[in-house]
Amino acid sequence: NLEVYGIKSDVGGSVLSFQTDINVNVNIKNCNFHDNRGSESGGVLKLRVGNKEGEGSEFNIINNKFINNRVESLSEVFRAAFGGAISLSGPGKYLIKDNEIIGNEAWAKHEYYYYGIHYTCGGGICLGGSLNVGGCEDVILDNNLISKNKAQFLGGGVSSQMDKSTDKLTIKSGVFSNNESEFSGGGLDLSVHNQPFLVMDNVVIAKNKAAAGAGVWACPTSRVRYHSTYGAAILDNVLDN
């Protein structure tokens, strides 16, 4: 039940940077996070489980607003930024439900891309968002509005960097709209190999923009299932190049 705004941090997670190596239960509910700025990982929240001893941890992010936040990197070396609003990584269960995630951005100064390093990923949310850190084990996105977010490289709305086929990613319902990526995955990006099997139910992915995969970009090893009835509607997305 907090309103948090105007915080600027030179580390990840301007409002909350949290790492655990034991089992914990974290609940973030009914808050309004706007106009905050973090560095490199998590414009608002950076939540990480550090090892397998914490894999029973549960993170519930429910009924919040994340509006006009930004994660940025000014480094001349890595120039990497993950999760304009939220960065999650490590084993554990993550429930992201009933949130408004609008107008957030992942940005890096003088962005430069080369194979093996992913910069500016997840304008709204980055799953597995950090250099040289594995993805998340079990993520549910349920009834979120993810809109008008931007990334310079992967995933204007959401970038999934979950890296094991045994991980779980479920999008139960929600809207991805008007998100932008300068490279791939305007709404949702699944670039990293060995992504989990993604199931989408009752999801609308519309009016997003990217150079490749304006709505959804799935790399050659990704697996996605959706149904035309009560499944996913992917429509009116625009290739920007």
Side-chain angles (χ1 to χ4, degrees):
N1 300 308
L2 300 175
E3 180 179 12
V4 186
Y5 62 93
I7 293 180
K8 297 181 180 181
S9 172
D10 291 330
V11 297
S14 66
V15 176
L16 176 62
S17 180
F18 183 87
Q19 175 172 324
T20 182
D21 295 322
I22 60 173
N23 289 342
V24 296
N25 189 294
V26 176
N27 296 288
I28 300 170
K29 299 180 179 180
N30 309 318
C31 295
N32 181 3
F33 304 106
H34 64 90
D35 300 292
N36 301 289
R37 189 196 72 199
S39 177
E40 297 186 2
S41 185
V44 176
L45 303 179
K46 178 182 179 180
L47 306 177
R48 181 185 175 198
V49 178
N51 56 38
K52 295 292 287 185
E53 281 67 35
E55 65 182 348
S57 295
E58 297 185 6
F59 298 87
N60 301 302
I61 303 171
I62 299 174
N63 195 37
N64 303 285
K65 293 182 179 180
F66 297 86
I67 299 176
N68 294 336
N69 303 287
R70 175 159 147 161
V71 63
E72 62 182 31
S73 175
L74 303 178
S75 170
E76 296 295 335
V77 180
F78 292 114
R79 296 188 289 271
F82 303 87
I86 302 170
S87 171
L88 308 174
S89 59
K93 295 183 178 181
Y94 302 85
L95 173 63
I96 306 171
K97 182 177 181 180
D98 298 333
N99 300 283
E100 295 181 13
I101 302 169
I102 301 173
N104 305 285
E105 183 176 10
W107 182 88
K109 179 181 179 181
H110 304 307
E111 71 280 4
Y112 174 71
Y113 315 131
Y114 64 92
Y115 182 79
I117 301 286
H118 303 300
Y119 296 98
T120 60
C121 304
I125 303 172
C126 192
L127 307 175
S130 185
L131 280 173
N132 303 317
V133 175
C136 310
E137 283 192 348
D138 189 351
V139 177
I140 296 175
L141 299 176
D142 187 356
N143 194 40
N144 301 288
L145 173 60
I146 300 174
S147 182
K148 300 180 181 178
N149 304 288
K150 294 182 179 180
Q152 288 166 302
F153 194 29
L154 306 179
V158 175
S159 174
S160 175
Q161 302 196 27
M162 301 166 72
D163 58 1
K164 298 192 297 297
S165 60
T166 55
D167 293 343
K168 298 177 182 178
L169 175 58
T170 303
I171 306 178
K172 287 188 174 181
S173 63
V175 175
F176 293 69
S177 68
N178 299 103
N179 302 288
E180 296 184 22
S181 171
E182 295 180 19
F183 191 74
S184 67
L188 172 64
D189 189 273
L190 306 169
S191 281
V192 178
H193 282 223
N194 301 316
Q195 291 280 342
F197 184 30
L198 170 61
V199 178
M200 294 191 289
D201 295 308
N202 197 27
V203 178
V204 175
I205 300 175
K207 298 182 179 179
N208 303 284
K209 183 185 293 186
V216 178
W217 172 264
C219 88
T221 63
S222 297
R223 299 172 298 155
V224 180
R225 184 178 74 206
Y226 70 94
H227 302 279
S228 59
T229 302
Y230 304 115
I234 304 174
L235 68 162
D236 294 333
N237 300 285
V238 178
L239 289 174
D240 197 32
N241 190 329

